[in-house]
Amino acid sequence: MAEPVIQGWCPGALRPMLSGDGWVIRVRPPGGRLAPQQAREIARLARAHGNGVIDLSSRANIHLRGVTEHSYAPLIEGLDALGLIDENPEAEERRNIVVSPFWSADDGSVVIERGSAALRSAVDPWGPVAPGPLELMRALKREFDPRGTLNPGRFVAGI
């Protein structure tokens, strides 16, 4: 078996990656969500312009496989018509947001899909936490990660 080749980047829709079965196109749905019509159309596009294989990533990305140089442009046109293509590869690389499957547009929360480093550091994605549960989480963190080496600062209240 051949050794895998590390390319140094992740594929995108606007920046495909050559694989053993053709190009891999990664679709990053906004917020990691698709409408049923979008899902059906992605399946149709995968059959029409790739080899029909669709992989799902752990970050709610969709990989369409077996795309060729000839089939790439019509695939991108179809994905763009579904609202699934960013304006450029740089914007596409930044978007990798996944929201709770229980989130709804009318629940009073907000989803920030793109933001500067300053915005990301100013907005607590976890929201407010009551003092009792927060102290319990801090105690658990101290108990199981006394040196603070596991994802420091990436959980509620900078835990």
Side-chain angles (χ1 to χ4, degrees):
M1 178 177 228
E3 289 291 316
V5 177
I6 298 173
Q7 299 290 346
W9 81 88
C10 290
L14 300 176
R15 190 175 176 192
M17 182 179 287
L18 186 59
S19 181
D21 60 349
W23 285 348
V24 176
I25 308 299
R26 177 180 289 183
V27 179
R28 295 177 170 115
R33 293 171 169 245
L34 289 175
Q37 184 269 337
Q38 288 175 308
R40 283 189 295 274
E41 187 62 13
I42 287 172
R44 188 194 70 74
L45 289 168
R47 286 188 306 272
H49 304 295
N51 61 14
V53 174
I54 300 174
D55 294 331
L56 300 177
S57 78
S58 62
R59 293 196 174 193
N61 293 179
I62 300 162
H63 299 189
L64 306 180
R65 304 190 66 91
V67 177
T68 67
E69 185 176 347
H70 175 72
S71 65
Y72 175 72
L75 172 62
I76 295 303
E77 288 174 19
L79 293 170
D80 191 37
L82 295 171
L84 297 172
I85 299 295
D86 286 295
E87 63 273 7
N88 60 56
E90 292 75 28
E92 179 182 65
E93 285 178 5
R94 287 192 308 265
R95 184 166 36 82
N96 216 4
I97 305 295
V98 180
V99 298
S100 166
F102 305 110
W103 176 84
S104 67
D106 60 353
D107 71 359
S109 65
V110 69
V111 175
I112 301 172
E113 290 192 16
R114 293 188 181 97
S116 66
L119 175 64
R120 289 192 311 269
S121 67
V123 174
D124 182 358
W126 302 101
V129 180
L134 183 57
E135 194 46 48
L136 174 62
M137 288 184 261
R138 285 187 172 133
L140 287 168
K141 175 73 171 174
R142 284 190 300 269
E143 179 68 26
F144 293 104
D145 185 22
R147 288 182 281 206
T149 57
L150 302 174
N151 294 318
R154 297 196 62 190
F155 193 50
V156 174
I159 295 175

